[in-house]
Amino acid sequence: MHFIILVDTHCHINSEEFSHNLLEVLSRALHSGVRRILVVGADIESSRKAILLTRQNSGVQLNASVGIHPHDSVDLTEMSKRAVLQMAKDRAVLAIGETGLDYHYEHSPRKEQKESFLWHLKLAHEVRKPVIVHVREAYPDTIDMLSFLKDPVRGVIHCFSGTWEDARKFLDMGFFL
């Protein structure tokens, strides 16, 4: 007999829209065969909430990631860096991010996105955790930044819609898509 264990590797059930029916959502996930969920942080508040959710006993194992989404890169201050670093040390936190580059919307200027992304990559290396990389319409810059890291990190390329050539480059660096 074979058992299949489903893992949701990227969700945002820490968002406000799930606050009124979170237990129902987790119950449906469990009944659908989902046994583990990685709750992804995209800013300080959602990162904190992701960690808090891991303390719930819902039958589904919840883990967290912490970080600042590229859309909010302008909000990466010394204070928020300290907060993310502190949260990254929590044992419920399995990954750093969601971070990366998003040139589609450019809610934050490219310069700030690159600085934030580089900081997150260094943090991931420092705490020895994988990174969740959001990339949209920024494949050359993302590949360049990951390729030239002195201390490479591994992780997941999220929001991938690039070419096969882009995929091959990420896969060759040890990332999952």
Side-chain angles (χ1 to χ4, degrees):
M1 180 176 283
H2 291 73
F3 293 96
I4 296 175
I5 297 175
L6 296 177
V7 178
D8 184 338
T9 65
H10 192 110
C11 77
H12 294 280
I13 58 172
N14 47 346
S15 299
E16 186 61 35
E17 63 250 33
F18 293 104
S19 63
H20 68 286
N21 67 342
L22 180 60
L23 292 177
E24 180 185 328
V25 168
L26 291 172
S27 176
R28 285 196 316 262
L30 185 62
H31 285 86
S32 297
V34 176
R35 296 297 180 260
R36 294 184 76 171
I37 296 175
L38 182 62
V39 184
V40 177
D43 56 28
I44 298 301
E45 182 182 341
S46 65
S47 294
R48 283 189 179 124
K49 191 164 184 185
I51 293 171
L52 288 174
L53 287 175
T54 68
R55 315 285 200 262
Q56 289 195 8
N57 185 4
S58 64
V60 177
Q61 180 180 340
L62 301 176
N63 290 100
S65 76
V66 296
I68 307 291
H69 193 281
H71 291 334
D72 299 313
S73 294
V74 294
D75 296 332
L76 188 66
T77 63
E78 289 306 314
M79 185 186 306
S80 63
K81 286 178 183 179
R82 284 192 299 276
V84 172
L85 172 61
Q86 189 63 33
M87 288 184 284
K89 295 176 183 177
D90 191 293
R91 66 182 195 176
V93 174
L94 297 185
I96 303 302
E98 176 168 3
T99 184
L101 303 174
D102 190 320
Y103 295 169
H104 180 76
Y105 293 110
E106 292 198 55
H107 291 300
S108 288
R110 291 181 184 194
K111 179 179 184 281
E112 281 80 1
Q113 288 188 50
K114 289 178 181 179
E115 289 170 359
S116 176
F117 185 31
L118 183 58
W119 180 83
H120 282 86
L121 293 172
K122 289 177 181 177
L123 174 63
H125 183 265
E126 178 183 331
V127 297
R128 297 184 172 178
K129 295 184 180 183
V131 65
I132 299 170
V133 179
H134 171 101
V135 57
R136 186 180 301 161
E137 297 179 21
Y139 293 99
D141 284 349
T142 303
I143 290 166
D144 284 349
M145 289 181 73
L146 292 172
S147 296
F148 293 109
L149 285 177
K150 185 175 110 182
D151 300 310
V153 296
R154 301 293 180 254
V156 174
I157 304 298
H158 167 69
C159 194
F160 183 80
S161 61
T163 66
W164 173 246
E165 183 180 325
D166 296 329
R168 176 57 44 212
K169 288 176 183 174
F170 289 126
L171 293 170
D172 287 347
M173 287 187 268
F175 282 86
F176 293 94
L177 303 178

